[in-house]
Amino acid sequence: MKFGIEFVPNEPIQKLCYYVKLAEDNGFEYCWITDHYNNRNVYMALTAIAAATNKIKLGPGVTNPYVRNPAITASAIATLDELSGGRAVLGIGPGDKATFDALGIEWVKPVTTLKESIEVMRKLLAGERVSFDGNVVKVAGAALAVKPIQKKVPVYVGAQGPKMLETAGMIADGVLINASNPKDFEAAIPLIKKGAEAAGRSMDEIDVAAYACMSVDKNAEKAKQAAVPVVAFIAAGSPPVVLERHGIDMEKVEKIREALKKGDFGTAFGTVDDAMLEAFSIYGTPEEVVEKCKKLAEMGVTQIVAGSPIGPNKETAIKLIGKKVIPA
Ligand SMILES: C[C@H](OP(=O)(O)OC[C@@H](O)[C@@H](O)[C@@H](O)Cn1c2nc(=O)[nH]c(=O)c-2cc2ccc(O)cc21)C(=O)N[C@@H](CCC(=O)N[C@@H](CCC(=O)O)C(=O)O)C(=O)O
């Protein structure tokens, strides 16, 4: 099992560099930085992290093909790969509606857009001069003047919907699935497999990553409480099919949604129950977290990404995961 770590660049980059170096020293193999327009810039964060580390792989987790032209993303990834000595990975998903509504971007054909963007980016990263007249993506004689160090920069797709998961199985080197519970992988992995088989690929070629909300502490109750705010947002943003899968009380979710809209975090977080915590996070003592990670491994998960909050105290949690979870 590989372990990754996710950071939202919503705090000073210098602090992120410290955490990622600590994660690297504690055996984490991947660092994923989220990409939302309102946070610190993902590529500036990755540049600083690359300079502060020397072996952890790193990349956007995940960007999208709408806010930047595929050639711009390819150039950023080639630059990151050169700068990091060949450690870049590209995490890319369809993006989210809230972002595109805020930026006045039309969310056109996400599956097609993602597929075509990845095709163009791979050609550019391979040093080709690219002309591509797709349904959505069009380039005419584009070429990069910077080459990555890696012959093939791994491309991970951030996916949750069935078609996106199938598409990931068809084209991606890895899949980053925003989920923490075995039930979600029971549903997702067959879809990835279906896509892989349709493309004549084997599942061994695909790194299936659980992009989880994780909260680890020696004190189980403290770990649980630290997960509550993140779980509230996950529950509020989950589609009905996911809520039904976990038997989540829909009325409570509606109450959380309303409270979050009003900024009433007390009510929102106070409405989070154990079923939601079990469904949308991996929390507890290191020993409890090890058991939950083992269940995901049995489902076919090959990378676990420790996502926000990581623990009540990030530094303590990173060390605990490094000492007690990764080696287990
Ligand atoms: C588009 C959407 O795909 P989805 O995978 O469910 O999208 C949900 C999230 O994965 C998506 O919002 C991600 O960008 C969210 N996301 C992040 N989004 C961000 O904006 N920033 C992040 O940092 C980020 C991190 C992240 C990490 C892991 C992860 O799994 C997701 C993450 C969807 O509705 N898919 C359906 C519909 C399929 C579809 O899009 N059909 C097309 C027709 C087919 C075509 O496109 O040609 C259409 O509607 O037009 C499906 O997969 O079945």
Side-chain angles (χ1 to χ4, degrees), residues 34-36 61-62 95 109 111-112 160-164 176 178 211:
T34 62
D35 181 13
H36 296 95
V62 295
K109 289 181 163 273
V111 173
T112 304
Q160 279 157 288
K163 272 203 193 131
M164 206 52 81
L176 295 164
N178 230 338
Y211 212 82

Side-chain angles (χ1 to χ4, degrees), residues 254 256-264:
E254 217 25 66
I256 293 172
R257 283 183 183 137
E258 286 315 306
L260 288 175
K261 267 189 209 142
K262 286 185 283 194
D264 175 2

Side-chain angles (χ1 to χ4, degrees), residues 103-169:
L103 302 187
I105 294 173
E106 204 192 342
W107 202 14
V108 173
K109 289 181 163 273
V111 173
T112 304
T113 304
L114 194 74
K115 262 192 322 200
E116 293 183 352
S117 303
I118 291 174
E119 185 174 344
V120 165
M121 287 189 278
R122 277 176 162 156
K123 288 175 187 287
L124 287 168
L125 288 167
E128 293 178 31
R129 179 167 297 282
V130 184
S131 288
F132 184 89
D133 185 16
N135 286 316
V136 181
V137 176
K138 301 183 187 305
V139 288
L144 294 185
V146 51
K147 274 180 79 59
I149 289 183
Q150 293 179 89
K151 204 164 166 0
K152 192 171 175 279
V153 174
V155 176
Y156 283 62
V157 165
Q160 279 157 288
K163 272 203 193 131
M164 206 52 81
L165 288 163
E166 247 188 83
T167 303

